[in-house]
Amino acid sequence: MNHHYQNIIASIFDQIKAEENPGAVAAYIPELAHVDPNLFAVSLKLLDGQSIDYGNHNTGFSIQSISKVLLLCMVYKEIGEKIWERVDVEPSGNPFNSLVQLESDNGIPRNPFINAGALVISDILIDLYDDPSTAFLDFVRDLTDSVSINYSDVVTESELKNGFRNAALCNFIKSFGNIKNNPDDVLRLYSQICSVEMNCLELCTAFSFLANGGKKTSDQKQILTKSQTKRVNAIMQTCGFYDESGEFSFRVGLPGKSGVGGGIVALFPGRYVITVWSPKLNPKGNSYRGMKFLELFTTATEESIF
Ligand code: GLN
């Protein structure tokens, strides 16, 4: 099985590496634009802990919106189904930083994976902990079994200095009463959460519990219930790629999540987690090579949840 995946990964990796590398690195967060656009890595981790790595897999990258899944899981674990009073579970069909639907939806974001939704969940996190920033990092370090996972202060500051749209979103939601805390504090925590850096294997490890019925694979600790895990995976399937969620589902057929750092994580419940990282993005803000790799991977393995 492992050998089978290894051969497929190697051949797709080499094929894509030899092709043109289209798209553009995210520059609206200036610090992200410094990354080498030709870096390319993939890791696949099976639930028994075996892994396959290829390319620049030891290089950490900014996981950005992928962090929104971990944020959702942490707060969902704490407050349960009440969370859905503050954020909905519908695909938005709009870009990740769009403001338009909030007006008619009375400040209830369409889902937790657009910026509006993650800002509301960051606001809830502030009410749950004295030091929410440390609490989130501890949660992520526990999931990855790694104390070296950290925030990037330069990326956080770079986003805060240029994050006028997120500031608009946060203030707009506050005007409807769905942000309780000071918008500056919410924006800081949100940007910090997005600035977490990991390499591909660490990201696979962080997401393994979502492929394992909600239990961490290393120590079998239950992070979410099976029902909650189903729901988080379902939201990834329908909303993980913003207005390209249908396209990702159509081409790849797995729940997944992207970030503007160029990472994509996808998982096959009961089998594996796979992460691809390539910084150049398509116009929807999703990694061009990441989408292509995963499409070729599920096509070659003839395995998807459908
Ligand atoms: N921190 C980024 C932002 O708010 C996250 C966006 C993303 O990865 N899609 O714009």
Side-chain angles (χ1 to χ4, degrees):
M1 172 85 104
N2 201 347
H3 197 62
H4 172 62
Y5 285 143
Q6 187 146 17
N7 291 340
I8 291 175
I9 286 174
S11 103
I12 297 173
F13 190 93
D14 294 343
Q15 177 197 326
I16 294 181
K17 182 102 186 148
E19 291 171 359
E20 183 206 350
N21 184 13
V25 169
Y28 76 98
I29 301 174
E31 198 53 41
L32 293 182
H34 298 149
V35 69
D36 176 352
N38 293 313
L39 292 169
F40 185 23
V42 58
S43 290
L44 178 140
K45 191 167 183 185
L46 299 173
L47 296 188
D48 66 6
Q50 294 182 77
S51 63
I52 300 161
D53 303 297
Y54 226 81
N56 309 99
H57 59 89
N58 286 321
T59 309
F61 60 90
S62 195
I63 71 169
Q64 289 298 317
S65 280
I66 297 173
S67 226
K68 292 170 179 167
V69 182
L70 303 175
L71 171 66
L72 168 67
C73 291
M74 183 178 177
V75 173
Y76 194 17
K77 177 179 167 59
E78 281 299 318
I79 72 168
E81 305 307 317
K82 263 199 337 229
I83 195 169
W84 310 122
E85 292 166 14
R86 306 265 309 263
V87 60
D88 207 346
V89 295
E90 287 301 331
S92 71
N94 270 306
F96 61 83
N97 55 7
S98 174
L99 283 131
V100 291
Q101 289 161 333
L102 282 169
E103 173 99 62
S104 51
D105 292 346
N106 293 315
I108 305 289
R110 285 281 165 113
N111 68 68
F113 298 154
I114 48 175
N115 291 10
L119 284 162
V120 167
I121 298 180
S122 301
D123 182 60
I124 303 174
L125 191 67
I126 292 178
D127 286 331
L128 292 176
Y129 294 91
D130 289 339
D131 184 350
S133 153
T134 303
F136 180 75
L137 199 55
D138 287 346
F139 179 71
V140 174
R141 285 177 173 176
D142 177 56
L143 288 179
T144 48
D145 291 318
S146 165
V147 290
S148 63
I149 304 292
N150 227 324
Y151 296 125
S152 162
D153 294 339
V154 283
V155 172
T156 303
E157 296 307 326
S158 179
E159 172 156 29
L160 280 172
K161 222 188 286 165
N162 299 280
F164 302 109
R165 235 170 204 275
N166 286 339
L169 282 166
C170 197
N171 283 284
F172 196 39
I173 301 168
K174 183 148 179 95
S175 77
F176 289 100
N178 198 20
I179 292 277
K180 314 287 180 197
N181 294 284
N182 180 330
D184 289 342
D185 297 340
V186 178
L187 286 162
R188 173 159 291 276
L189 180 63
Y190 165 84
S191 299
Q192 214 176 12
I193 286 170
C194 290
S195 83
V196 167
E197 293 183 341
M198 290 188 200
N199 63 34
C200 285
L201 185 57
E202 288 166 336
L203 200 48
C204 287
T205 306
F207 274 69
S208 287
F209 75 99
L210 289 169
N212 192 40
K215 276 190 199 165
K216 262 180 79 181
T217 50
S218 57
D219 59 12
Q220 298 299 310
K221 187 163 72 181
Q222 196 86 44
I223 305 295
L224 292 180
T225 66
K226 277 198 172 164
S227 158
Q228 289 175 322
T229 305
K230 171 193 76 180
R231 291 179 166 192
V232 172
N233 288 337
I235 304 170
M236 277 203 281
Q237 186 74 45
T238 51
C239 310
F241 297 78
Y242 326 109
D243 46 342
E244 205 169 37
S245 299
E247 180 83 11
F248 186 84
S249 208
F250 176 76
R251 282 167 55 182
V252 179
L254 295 175
K257 185 74 200 80
S258 64
V260 290
I264 296 183
V265 59
L267 59 95
F268 194 126
R271 289 194 197 177
Y272 63 73
V273 182
I274 186 165
T275 298
V276 188
W277 174 51
S278 166
K280 284 178 126 186
L281 310 177
N282 68 21
K284 307 275 187 187
N286 299 315
S287 170
Y288 178 88
R289 282 181 156 175
M291 297 254 311
K292 175 116 197 229
F293 187 98
L294 291 167
E295 177 179 15
L296 295 178
F297 183 71
T298 53
T299 305
T301 55
E302 298 184 340
E303 290 178 344
S304 100
I305 64 163
F306 298 107

